[in-house]
Structures are given as C-alpha cells and as structure tokens.
Amino acid sequence: MRIEEAVSASSKHLVFAYYVTGHGFGHATRVAEVVRQLILAGHDVHVVTGAPAFVFTSAVDSPRLFIRKVLLDCGAVQADALTVDRLASLEKYSETAVKPREQILAQETEWLNSIKADLVVSDVVPVACRAAADAGIRSVCVTNFSWDFIYAEYVMAAGIHHRSIVWQIAEDYSHCEFLIRLPGYCPMPAFRDVIDVPLVVRRLHKSPKEVREDLGVADDVKLVILNFGGQPGGWQLKEEFLPSGWLGLVCGASESTDLPPNFRKLDKEAYTPDIIAACDCMLGKIGYGTASEALAYKCPFVFVRRDYFNEEPFLRNMLEFYQCGVEMIRRDLLTGHWRPYLERAVSLNPCYEGGINGAEMAAHILQETAFGKNYASDKLSGARRLRDAIVLGYQLQRATGRDVAIPEWYVNAESQLGRRPSDRPADFESALVESVIDDFEILHGNVQGFPDTVAFLHSLTELHANPKRRESRAAASLFNWEEEIYVTRAPGRLDVMGGIADYSGSLVLQMPIKEACHVALQRLHPSKHKLWKHAAARQNDRGEATAVLQIVSYGSELGYRSPTFDMDLSDFMEDGKLMSYERARKYFAQDPSQKWAAYVAGAILVLMTEMGVRFNDSITMLISSAVPEGKGVSSSASVEVASMSAIAAAHGLNIDPRDLAILCQKVENHIVGAPCGVMDQMTSACGEANKLLAMICQPAEIVGLVEIPNHIRVWGIDSGIRHSIGGADYGSVRIGTFMGLKMIKSKASDELSDMQTNGVNNDEVEQDDLELLKQEASLDYLCNLPPHRFEALYAKQIPNSIIGQSFLDTYKNHNDPVTTIDDKRTYGVRFPTMHPIYENFRVKTFKSLLTSTASTDQLTALGELLYQCHYSYSACGLGSDATDRLVHLVQEVQHSAASKAEDTTLCGAKITGGGSGGTVCVIGRNCLKSGEQIIEIQQRYKKQTGYLPFIFEGSSPGSGKFGYLKIRHRTGSRSDVRMGYTSDEGSPI
C-alpha cells in the first residue's frame, strides 16, 4: 500500500509516544522529522530515547515535545566505526532488554497509560509494541529494517543460549498493527501489513553556496565530507590521502585530534544535511541517514562496508541503482588510496527523483491511525504472522540472482527430484553446447558432458552484453579475450560416514556431489593486464607495472562479501621474505567483507611456501560456485580445490590430486584459520562419480573407492540452518577431542610406568599388555584405539568436561596445531573423545556392509549406523533442532505402515560435516517409492517450518578426474566480446 497524502493541521489534540532505538543517530534524526510534522499538526509527542536531547530539540523547538531518556534496546555494538561485535551486541541486548523484560513491560505500560497515549510509534524498539498491547493502545512501526532480521546472523556466532532473543523480538513485533516502510528496506516478515512512504530526510536550512561561504571555501575546491560516526580504530588521516585541490570535512573528530592542512573539523553543531548538499561527494559508512541524504541531495557516496550489519546490502543496492554509490575497499581507505574512488564519485550522475516527503506522509498516516482509521487487513492471523517471522529463522539464506527483498525462506528450492517446473525448451542444452563451441576454441580437455560446465562457459560469452549485476560488470573487465583462459571444476561433498572424526584419524566415506565450483583463470604479463581503476591508480602511483591478482566471486552481492578482491602479488613478500601464514591470516582478515579471498589467494601463498613457486605474471580469476554455503557440503573445499587446480594448470605445475588436497587443507587451516580435517579437500580433488571415497585420515591415505550398490541410494536434505547455530562449535569439540587424546596417552604412560616399576612377568598376556600400553602412550590418532580398550582402561578416566586452565595446569597443552585453548572456557571432553573411537568402528562396519548380500537386514543395519552417528554428534553438542527434525521425519516415514508394506524404503539419516545445522544424509532403497518419500519429507518439513529444503542428489567426479580446460575466444564469433569494457569497479588500462 502507498499513501500519497501529507499531514494537515488537526482540530483534535492527540498524544503520541514515539520510541527510538538506541542504535546510532540515523534513527533519531529521521524520527525528529516525523515528530516535527506531528507537532506542526498540533499534537503532543513524547520521545523515548537514549540519544542526546539536542538531536530532537535542534530540529523541533516546541513545548509539545517531551524527551524521556530511557534506553530499551541497544542496537548493534560496534568495536569501531566499521566493525560490529555480534556476540557483544546480543549480550548487551540481553542485559538491556531481556533480563529486565518484566520490569520494562510493567514500567512502560504504566507510563503509556499515565500520559494517555493515543498511539505508540516505534523505530524500531521491539518491546514498545508489546508494552502498547499490554496497555491496550494501538502501535505502528516506522523503519527500513527490524532487529529480528539484524540479529538473525549474530545468533550463529553466539550459540544456543542467545537463540530466544530473535524469537522474542519477532513476537514483540507481531503485536504491531502495521509497518510504515522506508526505502532501502530489508525483509521484515514479522509485520503483516505494510505502507510504503518516500525517503524521510532532514530538510535543508542553507543553500550549498551559503555553506561554502560560511566555510570560506572557494568554488573551485572539491569538498568531501567524512561521515563515519567516529573514525575506524587506529586510523590517522594524512595529507596525501586527498588529491590536490580537495578539502576534507570531518564529522565527529575529537578536539584532541590533529588533522592535516587539507582536512578540517566540523563543529559539533554543524548541520550535516546542509554540508552534504554542499559537498562534491561523501566518504563514510552506509546507514539509512547517510544513504537517504546522499540520494535526496544528489551527493555521490563513496562507502566502505560495515561488518555484520544486515541492513547494508539493501541500502547499498539502492545507492547503486540510483547511480549514487561507489564502494571503496577497506584496505584502500586505511592506506589512503582514495583518489580513484573520489574521481569515480564526481563522475557519477545521481538520478534519484523520488519523493523526500516521507516524514509528512508518515505523520499523516500516524495521525489518521490515532483518529481510528484502520489501515490493517485481516488477511493473516497473528499466529501466522508470528510463524512467518520465525520462519525467517536466524539466517536468511541468500541466493544469486534473486530479488534482493525476497529471502530464500519464501522461495521454492530448486531441487525437487526432477519435479521442478522448467521453462527451457527441450533442445536448450544442445543449443547451449553449440553456442559454446562457436564462441570458444577448446585447446585442452573437454567438458565431459557436464551441463554446469557448459553453462559456465556460456556465462563467459555473455560478459560482453552490458551485464546488470555488479559482480558481472566487474567480471566483464577481467579477461583479455585474445589470450588463453584456464577453466577448472571441483565438486562439493556429502559426508556419508566419518564426519568430524577425520581429524582423529578415522576412516571416512565421502561422496562428491553434483554441485561444483568453477574457476576461470588467466595468466598475463603485467603490461597486458587490464586493471580496475583503483588498482591501475595504485600502480601508476608506484610508477611501474607489477604482477597483480584480481578476483571476482559470483554470488556475493547479497551477503557481507565484496564481489571483488585485488592485491599486488608482491604483497606476499615482506623485506625479501615470504609472508608467514600467520601474517597472511591477519592480512585477509583485516576486511571481513573480503576475507573470502583467503580461500582463493591463499592457494598462491601455499604454493610459494610449500613448493617454492614464484609468480611473476598477473593473475585474474572468476569464481562461480553452485555449492551452497553453510549447508555442510564443503563449499569452501570446492573453492580451494578449483582455485589451486586452475593456478597449477596455468603455471604448468603437475600436482597429484592427493597432494593438491593436502595443500588446500593448509590454505584452510593456516591462512583461513579454520580447523578442518582433510576429507573435504580429498573428496573434491580425488572423488569419482557415484562412488564413496574411502580414506583413512592419517593424514590422508586413500584406501579405495567404494561402489554404491545399485539397490542403494543416498540423498542430502538441507535443514536451512547454517553451521554453528548449535550449543557447541566445531572448534571447541575438536579441542575436547584432543584433550581426551592427551588424557588417554597420559593414563597409558602412568600405567606403563607402574608396570615397569613393579616388574613385568614373562607371562605372554602381560607382555602383550605392555606392548599395547606402549602403543597407547604414543597414540598419534584417537581412532587407532579400539572401543573395547577405551572402555576397559580409559572411559572412567575421561571427565564430562574441564575448564581450559585446569587442563593446561595438568597437561600443559593439547598438541593440536590449529586450535587454541581458552583458559576460561569449559570444554566437553567425554563425548568428543568417545565419538571418533566409535565412529571409526561404525564407518568400517558400514563399508563392509555395502559389499554384503543385498537384503532388508543390510539396509536396516546401514541405517542404524547413520542414526547412531547422528545421536553421537548431538551428545558432543553439535546437533541442532532442525537436523533433529529432519532425522525424526525420516524415522516416521521409515516406520510407517506404507513403508513397511514396501519392505523398507528409507532406512537411516544423520547430520553431516561439522554439524550444528547444515545437511542431513539419508540412505534408502533405490526405488520410486523412496524418491516419493524424500519429497514427502521435504514438504512436511516446509509445513512445519516454512522452509522448503534443498535436496542434494546425484554425483560428479573430483577435480583430478575433470582435469582442466584451456580455451581461447574465437575472434569474430556471434558473441564476440567487446574489448575495453568499463565497469563500476574500474576499467582496463
């Protein structure tokens, strides 16, 4: 619904209670505009806020404005101007709004009745809506985002004890009557009815000319306003940051801050909208206030991403849609490489022509609502609204190419076992192959009939067609189409058996899946390399052409990841020495929006370190992965393996697939900093289609490929919950496992010492015990300890849990090179120790059963092993409600009368990979009925949760079997690529 009327003076006096969130000034400034309009109409407004009173009193000078300083939420806690601390945000919200909740509700209900409020307005304090309901007063929210959406991803970093926060916020919002939605909005399913209004912005007091005169700045001086709400930590402005003829106006600088001569502090009383309108561009972080005023006053906005603030992608897309935004990478912000961004900004022609009278329209709607007008519909019940809000869950799964406003929770999964509708003509695939052959000459390798590879090659041919998506525009300028391009492919994997026991040396059984990552790579002499504008400017400043790495990653626009990354390859050398892995981890982690590049660029450093390779040519890479992130199917391993395979192919490095997988594990362990085992990379590199890769992870010995019998089929069902929502995280369970190993070795050493001290008989049994204890005292892998030995000697010695410091005091260290013990944290030990010991036995049994005679008993036994593994994960703390629900649905179907009549169809299920969400592996009979039951489970899960899970079916070979393609674009083909394309990221030199 859209309302076009503005507020008008009223003969009836109303009282509004307006609650303002404690997050930033942007909310307070836009509220002040709406409040001003309500007061102009003759009403009283009581503002409940934690913001300074001058924000409101400077905009509204009226006895009808009442300020009540109360903080009822905290927003996002920021470590600095660009970094949100997710865990601290949830903890502070818990202290501010959860623990004193009952007191807050009683206090606010009493206060609302005491002022005789006619309407409660919230921007966007959750508890205000519930308090209004308790007081019997209608409530309306005015916002572009809601805190359930913002906190959704924070929960994944925090664990189960903060999960209820999102549920409670969603329920509070469900008491709101309707939402007045501002432009640049996020998905907000807690609100049933929505009314859209234009931008709410502060009005101008002075013209740009008057502002320049007040500042004493000549017309020929370029002005940039720095609007960060506080400078990023450790950042000092320098004179060389600005090009000649520019002046920087700094908001929020402290009195003690010394600025270079071409920067000037703005007075605290300076009216920011007037300054923005007078400037040639703005440099800052994206928030509603900065974005809306940049659009309204056509001031190009050079922005730097904030970490972990879900509102940002939607505002960013709005800025770029109206040609008003240029993204600056954080590294260039901090090092002062500003010139290409400022030059790009002043070349823009902002084209927002929408209304900026959102405050008047919102005030009119609020006034009419307080008079009794009903804007809400009865199309959905309150319970349904709440369910829709909860369906949003704790993580919106975002997918490439979908409308930015539509969460995946409301979009059908793309896999329904072949039942998905298709609008492709029957001859589509053959036409695509023909198109690719026409466009590219394949100099080495072949596509092996993979439709996804053909589609990827076809996407390369389309890069010339003036692509709309930002990442495609960046990719369009990557390649020199007269030179060779290398293409590699690496699949994700489904963990059938073994899982987290890999780092304990277990046998694992892994299946490469159909979904894969493709990488296109080109190696060029620096003089031929087409650089993005900011990279070219950096080289020009140096005065020489050096080797540069440029990467575009598809599928990143709607998340926190920047779609592009670039660096000088010389950055890997420091004072003539190779950068250490520890230093590299910090290098890539300095900008979380570009941390993904560690998975790709890290392969270069590992090859330099482990194999002595040196890279003198520039490298461009395009990453396109169909392996979904956060679903436990090794999306990161597929990126690492495909990337390293492409780098190796382009540089003539003949690396065995097994060795390549071990090198990729080093990327993830040492540069990314993720403590994973090696089974993911091994499967992606060495797997074969429709076979289980059998590997003993000591450290990575492939013992064979196990055929999946024709009568057995394996599926994966995505729970929709990303990894690490659960009560314990992967790293802490790994630490507990290594603690248990250290305790067992210590116990064996003590027993051995006692036997040697007391003397040993020549009895054969006692000699055998001595040998066993010697082996166990030097145990390398926990999985080499048989279950019966664990139960006989060690089970009672392993505590349920231990505090980190207590363990360190007794055992000194846990001997795991990729994790660090937190001395204040309590770690589970007993179940993390038991799991790999018993899992190794389960995997061996599973492997043997696969080769046994086909029977119902065989299927039942295989399924039972999966169930045992699943519940062992849960005992470790790596389960989740969502995956438990899916496993329970499999059990319900398995034990149904219909399934028994079919002589067993589905027979078992388990959580996979690192646990705590992700994908469930299901095993069953390969028959039509089983497929129908998988669809039934999919639909029942959707009915229960609102989320339609993705189904993984099918398999494909690892990168070793695929090899690589070497291609060259055919000059004069029907899709001949236009050379010299210019993108928003930059253009060729």
Side-chain angles (χ1 to χ4, degrees):
M1 184 187 301
R2 185 175 291 278
I3 302 294
E4 300 297 343
E5 300 172 74
V7 69
S8 57
S10 170
S11 58
K12 182 180 178 182
H13 170 261
L14 296 170
V15 176
F16 294 88
Y18 211 134
Y19 288 80
V20 188
T21 186
H23 180 78
F25 277 8
H27 296 268
T29 56
R30 73 188 185 196
V31 165
E33 281 301 302
V34 180
V35 167
R36 189 172 67 85
Q37 295 296 326
L38 290 171
I39 289 177
L40 286 174
H43 308 304
D44 286 357
V45 183
H46 295 257
V47 176
V48 183
T49 180
F54 78 83
V55 177
F56 304 94
T57 55
S58 61
V60 184
D61 181 14
S62 171
R64 293 186 177 277
L65 172 65
F66 303 89
I67 306 294
R68 178 169 169 251
K69 293 297 293 290
V70 178
L71 184 66
L72 298 178
D73 71 355
C74 62
V77 176
Q78 295 185 217
D80 57 46
L82 296 176
T83 306
V84 172
D85 188 326
R86 293 173 291 174
L87 182 56
S89 298
L90 292 172
E91 289 175 343
K92 187 170 181 182
Y93 186 86
S94 181
E95 293 293 327
T96 305
V98 177
K99 292 180 180 178
R101 179 177 174 80
E102 295 305 317
Q103 177 185 343
I104 289 172
L105 285 172
Q107 165 190 293
E108 295 308 302
T109 301
E110 180 182 358
W111 176 76
L112 288 170
N113 286 322
S114 73
I115 66 169
K116 296 181 172 56
D118 294 291
L119 185 70
V120 171
V121 189
S122 180
D123 183 356
V124 64
V125 181
V127 75
C129 303
R130 174 58 187 271
D134 289 351
I137 304 169
R138 301 166 76 187
S139 64
V140 175
C141 284
V142 183
T143 187
N144 66 306
F145 73 82
S146 55
W147 286 112
D148 53 343
F149 177 81
I150 300 299
Y151 287 156
E153 301 217 32
Y154 296 7
V155 175
M156 292 186 300
I160 195 169
H161 56 291
H162 285 299
R163 179 182 300 180
S164 61
I165 287 178
V166 177
W167 291 66
Q168 186 65 70
I169 291 173
E171 192 211 358
D172 284 347
Y173 287 143
S174 73
H175 293 286
C176 170
E177 191 160 314
F178 62 90
L179 166 69
I180 298 176
R181 187 168 62 181
L182 305 179
Y185 57 82
C186 307
M188 293 180 279
F191 302 100
R192 173 183 60 180
D193 291 287
V194 174
I195 299 175
D196 288 304
V197 299
L199 292 174
V200 174
V201 296
R202 292 177 287 180
R203 69 198 190 286
L204 296 181
H205 293 167
K206 296 180 179 179
S207 69
K209 183 177 181 180
E210 290 173 318
V211 172
R212 280 183 172 261
E213 288 175 353
D214 290 346
L215 293 171
V217 177
D219 291 341
D220 61 346
V221 174
K222 295 287 188 184
L223 287 178
V224 56
I225 178 172
L226 276 64
N227 201 348
F228 284 96
Q231 294 182 15
W235 180 39
Q236 282 193 329
L237 295 171
K238 297 179 181 179
E239 185 173 356
E240 59 266 27
F241 285 9
L242 288 176
S244 176
W246 282 76
L247 175 66
L249 305 176
V250 184
C251 296
S254 65
E255 293 181 2
S256 60
T257 302
D258 292 326
L259 295 180
N262 53 348
F263 289 89
R264 184 186 302 180
K265 297 176 192 175
L266 288 174
D267 294 336
K268 289 184 178 179
E269 304 300 321
Y271 189 59
T272 309
D274 287 348
I275 307 293
I276 291 173
C279 283
D280 294 277
C281 65
M282 174 163 53
L283 172 60
K285 63 183 181 182
I286 294 181
Y288 179 85
T290 52
S292 62
E293 287 170 358
L295 287 169
Y297 303 122
K298 293 181 169 53
C299 178
F301 191 177
V302 179
F303 59 85
V304 183
R305 293 184 187 229
R306 272 187 293 179
D307 309 332
Y308 310 120
F309 199 71
N310 299 4
E311 174 194 24
E312 186 174 283
F314 303 90
L315 294 172
R316 185 174 73 236
N317 284 2
M318 181 171 68
L319 282 169
E320 292 177 346
F321 180 81
Y322 291 111
Q323 300 178 40
C324 195
V326 176
E327 180 180 348
M328 176 187 285
I329 61 177
R330 187 179 303 191
R331 185 172 72 249
D332 284 342
L333 170 75
L334 299 179
T335 58
H337 188 66
W338 295 4
R339 179 171 57 82
Y341 301 98
L342 298 179
E343 290 174 351
R344 169 65 179 160
V346 296
S347 73
L348 294 179
N349 185 24
C351 59
Y352 178 78
E353 299 296 342
I356 58 173
N357 61 333
E360 295 95 318
M361 291 173 60
H364 170 79
I365 296 166
L366 296 173
Q367 175 182 276
E368 294 301 300
T369 302
F371 282 151
K373 184 172 181 178
N374 183 21
Y375 286 101
S377 66
D378 297 321
K379 59 186 177 185
L380 293 175
S381 67
R384 171 61 189 276
R385 287 158 58 191
L386 176 57
R387 197 200 79 175
D388 283 351
I390 292 172
V391 159
L392 180 63
Y394 323 104
Q395 163 65 28
L396 288 172
Q397 306 293 324
R398 303 187 180 104
T400 307
R402 290 181 178 151
D403 187 332
V404 73
I406 301 177
E408 189 176 79
W409 291 88
Y410 300 135
V411 179
N412 288 338
E414 294 173 357
S415 173
Q416 293 192 39
L417 297 177
R419 295 190 175 188
R420 55 187 177 273
S422 176
D423 54 4
R424 291 178 174 180
D427 60 349
F428 177 80
E429 298 295 348
S430 60
L432 204 59
V433 172
E434 182 181 341
S435 171
V436 167
I437 293 173
D438 181 72
D439 291 328
F440 286 109
E441 179 184 3
I442 298 179
L443 306 173
H444 178 276
N446 65 79
V447 298
Q448 301 182 27
F450 292 123
D452 59 343
T453 302
V454 174
F456 177 69
L457 294 178
H458 183 68
S459 73
L460 296 181
T461 71
E462 295 181 327
L463 290 178
H464 73 289
N466 196 19
K468 300 295 184 185
R469 282 169 38 210
R470 183 165 171 262
E471 56 193 17
S472 297
R473 296 200 305 270
S477 64
L478 271 180
F479 299 113
N480 183 331
W481 296 102
E482 296 177 351
E483 303 291 337
E484 297 166 351
I485 297 173
Y486 294 80
V487 175
T488 53
R489 180 188 187 278
R493 69 95 187 95
L494 182 64
D495 167 34
V496 178
M497 287 293 288
I500 59 167
D502 62 343
Y503 54 72
S504 295
S506 177
L507 174 69
V508 297
L509 298 174
Q510 308 294 305
M511 184 180 81
I513 59 176
K514 180 177 63 179
E515 291 74 18
C517 172
H518 285 85
V519 170
L521 180 146
Q522 190 170 70
R523 173 187 176 186
L524 289 170
H525 188 275
S527 63
K528 294 183 178 181
H529 196 191
K530 298 189 294 183
L531 298 177
W532 295 319
K533 285 182 178 177
H534 64 272
R538 187 169 64 233
Q539 293 239 339
N540 290 338
D541 290 344
R542 290 186 176 183
E544 61 177 341
T546 58
V548 173
L549 171 67
Q550 291 187 154
I551 310 171
V552 173
S553 173
Y554 280 171
S556 59
E557 286 191 308
L558 299 185
Y560 300 125
R561 293 186 287 129
S562 170
T564 64
F565 174 83
D566 68 275
M567 65 179 292
D568 295 336
L569 288 174
S570 60
D571 289 350
F572 281 136
M573 302 296 294
E574 297 178 327
D575 300 324
K577 295 181 180 180
L578 268 178
M579 180 186 288
S580 68
Y581 287 154
E582 181 181 0
R583 175 73 183 90
R585 187 184 312 137
K586 293 177 181 177
Y587 177 91
F588 288 109
Q590 64 185 338
D591 185 352
S593 72
Q594 293 190 319
K595 187 176 180 180
W596 61 266
Y599 294 96
V600 182
I604 294 175
L605 181 60
V606 167
L607 288 171
M608 295 174 75
T609 304
E610 306 298 330
M611 296 184 63
V613 182
R614 292 296 178 264
F615 297 91
N616 299 316
D617 289 336
S618 291
I619 298 172
T620 59
M621 301 177 72
L622 173 62
I623 315 295
S624 178
S625 182
V627 185
E629 296 179 40
K631 300 186 187 301
V633 289
S634 300
S635 58
S636 60
S638 65
V639 170
E640 292 158 354
V641 171
S643 297
M644 188 171 286
S645 298
I647 295 166
H651 292 81
L653 304 176
N654 186 17
I655 305 175
D656 180 80
R658 176 187 176 276
D659 295 336
L660 186 136
I662 293 173
L663 291 171
C664 289
Q665 185 198 18
K666 290 183 182 293
V667 174
E668 189 143 359
N669 284 174
H670 301 302
I671 298 179
V672 176
C676 70
V678 74
M679 71 177 189
D680 298 358
Q681 291 82 1
M682 277 290 179
T683 309
S684 188
C686 307
E688 292 190 17
N690 301 309
K691 296 178 182 179
L692 301 180
L693 182 75
M695 181 178 68
I696 297 175
C697 302
Q698 300 189 17
E701 299 306 320
I702 297 173
V703 295
L705 293 160
V706 182
E707 294 275 0
I708 301 174
N710 290 335
H711 68 287
I712 293 175
R713 192 169 183 181
V714 178
W715 298 266
I717 307 179
D718 163 42
S719 68
I721 303 299
R722 288 182 67 102
H723 179 331
S724 80
I725 292 176
D729 62 273
Y730 178 94
S732 68
V733 171
R734 175 169 175 146
I735 288 172
T737 303
F738 277 85
M739 285 177 166
L741 174 61
K742 190 67 176 277
M743 292 175 180
I744 287 171
K745 292 171 69 174
S746 177
K747 173 64 176 174
S749 295
D750 291 345
E751 291 287 331
L752 185 63
S753 178
D754 289 345
M755 288 183 69
Q756 292 173 336
T757 300
N758 296 329
V760 180
N761 296 328
N762 290 325
D763 183 276
E764 185 176 334
V765 174
E766 204 161 310
Q767 288 289 343
D768 290 343
D769 285 346
L770 185 66
E771 288 304 313
L772 284 172
L773 285 171
K774 286 181 179 178
Q775 294 173 19
E776 289 157 7
S778 59
L779 198 64
D780 288 334
Y781 295 97
L782 202 48
C783 288
N784 289 337
L785 183 68
H788 75 274
R789 288 289 293 178
F790 173 74
E791 292 293 347
L793 271 75
Y794 305 110
K796 294 180 181 178
Q797 308 299 319
I798 306 298
N800 285 330
S801 61
I802 191 170
I803 296 173
Q805 188 60 59
S806 299
F807 176 86
L808 293 171
D809 290 342
T810 305
Y811 300 99
K812 307 304 180 188
N813 60 66
H814 69 318
N815 293 332
D816 180 16
V818 297
T819 58
T820 302
I821 294 174
D822 182 343
D823 57 3
K824 296 182 177 60
R825 183 167 185 172
T826 298
Y827 294 93
V829 180
R830 181 174 178 79
F831 289 112
T833 302
M834 290 175 61
H835 175 80
I837 294 171
Y838 284 91
E839 181 70 0
N840 187 47
F841 178 78
R842 286 190 289 264
V843 181
K844 289 178 178 179
T845 306
F846 189 96
K847 180 174 178 286
S848 297
L849 280 168
L850 283 176
T851 59
S852 66
T853 303
S855 66
T856 299
D857 288 343
Q858 177 203 33
L859 285 169
T860 302
L862 289 169
E864 181 61 29
L865 291 170
L866 261 67
Y867 286 138
Q868 289 182 18
C869 173
H870 177 79
Y871 293 113
S872 183
Y873 262 74
S874 295
C876 291
L878 289 174
S880 76
D881 292 342
T883 49
D884 285 348
R885 184 187 296 274
L886 280 171
V887 170
H888 182 68
L889 286 172
V890 172
Q891 291 173 351
E892 285 185 349
V893 168
Q894 176 185 354
H895 299 303
S896 66
S899 182
K900 290 178 180 178
E902 293 282 337
D903 195 23
T904 304
T905 46
L906 303 184
C907 56
K910 63 177 276 288
I911 196 170
T912 62
S916 299
T919 296
V920 164
C921 174
V922 182
I923 192 169
R925 191 181 299 278
N926 187 11
C927 63
L928 179 62
K929 184 65 176 178
S930 295
E932 292 174 347
Q933 288 177 340
I934 290 291
I935 293 176
E936 178 187 346
I937 290 168
Q938 181 191 47
Q939 297 299 327
R940 288 173 64 181
Y941 188 78
K942 179 188 177 184
K943 185 176 181 180
Q944 292 177 13
T945 67
Y947 175 66
L948 182 67
F950 188 97
I951 294 175
F952 296 95
E953 58 166 345
S955 181
S956 65
S959 65
K961 280 289 182 182
F962 181 83
Y964 68 90
L965 302 177
K966 182 163 69 172
I967 62 175
R968 183 186 292 122
H969 187 263
R970 295 182 190 272
T971 303
S973 70
R974 62 188 176 193
S975 60
D976 198 8
V977 177
R978 184 177 62 200
M979 307 303 290
Y981 181 87
T982 300
S983 77
D984 276 358
E985 270 58 51
S987 65
I989 294 176

